């Protein structure tokens, strides 16, 4: 954000959107909101998201609400779009 501000960008906040979860996610320790690295894909006008694998680059952050223990495939979730490196 500091470098973007020096470049003249007024707001350095990532874009937020909704996507359909492509896989089930089990949360081991609920209680805190989590941001997980994720990958977006598009099928027609539909956006789908899944967790990024270990060495895979991410293009978004998946928001996992604090009190959830399980997110089911097909559920609508919030994602923050981040620029790819």
């Amino acid at each position: 954000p500091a470098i973007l501000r020096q470049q003249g960008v007024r707001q350095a906040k990532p874009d937020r959107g909704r996507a359909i979860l492509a896989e089930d996610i089990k949360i081991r320790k609920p209680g805190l909101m989590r941001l997980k690295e994720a990958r977006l894909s598009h099928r027609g006008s539909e956006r789908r998201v899944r967790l990024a694998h270990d060495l895979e680059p991410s293009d978004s952050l998946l928001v996992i609400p604090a009190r959830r223990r399980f997110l089911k495939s097909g559920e609508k979730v919030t994602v923050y779009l981040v620029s790819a490196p």
Side-chain angles (χ1 to χ4, degrees):
I3 293 172
L4 290 174
R5 178 155 259 166
Q6 288 176 346
Q7 294 174 343
V9 176
R10 291 276 182 224
Q11 283 189 315
K13 295 179 182 178
D15 292 331
R16 185 174 73 174
R18 301 283 285 171
I20 296 172
L21 191 60
E23 59 189 18
D24 292 342
I25 300 174
K26 184 178 179 183
I27 296 91
R28 291 188 197 127
K29 295 182 180 180
L32 295 174
M33 183 191 79
R34 299 174 194 278
L35 297 173
K36 295 285 192 176
E37 292 182 344
R39 293 287 298 177
L40 276 176
S41 61
H42 299 275
R43 283 191 186 162
S45 63
E46 176 179 274
R47 264 197 280 203
R48 298 183 67 78
V49 66
R50 64 172 175 79
L51 292 178
H53 299 294
D54 291 337
L55 299 176
E56 184 177 32
S58 63
D59 57 7
S60 59
L61 295 172
L62 171 64
V63 178
I64 300 177
R67 296 199 168 114
R68 298 291 303 269
R69 291 183 176 271
F70 190 77
L71 296 176
K72 202 172 194 179
S73 176
E75 190 173 330
K76 283 211 171 205
V77 294
T78 301
V79 292
Y80 286 99
L81 308 173
V82 294
S83 59

